[in-house]
Amino acid sequence: MASQTFPAQFEALQAIREFAAQAAHLAAMDEKEIYNIQLAVDEAASNIIEHAYEGDPHGKIEISAQLSPAALTLCLRD
């Protein structure tokens, strides 16, 4: 399992998407699946930034990835 913490700022969305894409690559997903994972993670992180922190510069988002033979699980926590 891997995890990383990012600032809860819109400027961090690219790095958050890249973390998710790396996990999806390790799960041997194809490009369309990776895109869909990135889209879902982007939406979830954007909601955290906008609704949980509302511009608070001290907010953090932790994203963790866990790979099993049957699934890739990504968890975002604020």
Side-chain angles (χ1 to χ4, degrees):
M1 183 162 102
S3 67
Q4 193 168 347
T5 301
F6 300 92
Q9 299 174 355
F10 288 109
E11 296 80 14
L13 288 175
Q14 180 62 35
I16 293 169
R17 285 191 301 268
E18 288 174 11
F19 178 91
Q22 289 174 353
H25 277 292
L26 290 174
M29 292 184 171
D30 65 33
E31 291 303 314
K32 183 176 180 182
E33 292 168 323
I34 292 169
Y35 171 80
N36 289 333
I37 292 290
Q38 288 181 299
L39 185 63
V41 167
D42 186 89
E43 180 66 21
S46 293
N47 285 338
I48 291 170
I49 293 164
E50 186 173 346
H51 300 292
Y53 291 111
E54 299 178 20
D56 179 358
H58 304 293
K60 302 282 184 208
I61 298 173
E62 179 187 359
I63 181 170
S64 61
Q66 186 166 355
L67 183 59
S68 71
L72 168 64
T73 303
L74 296 169
C75 181
L76 282 79
R77 295 190 328 173
D78 62 284

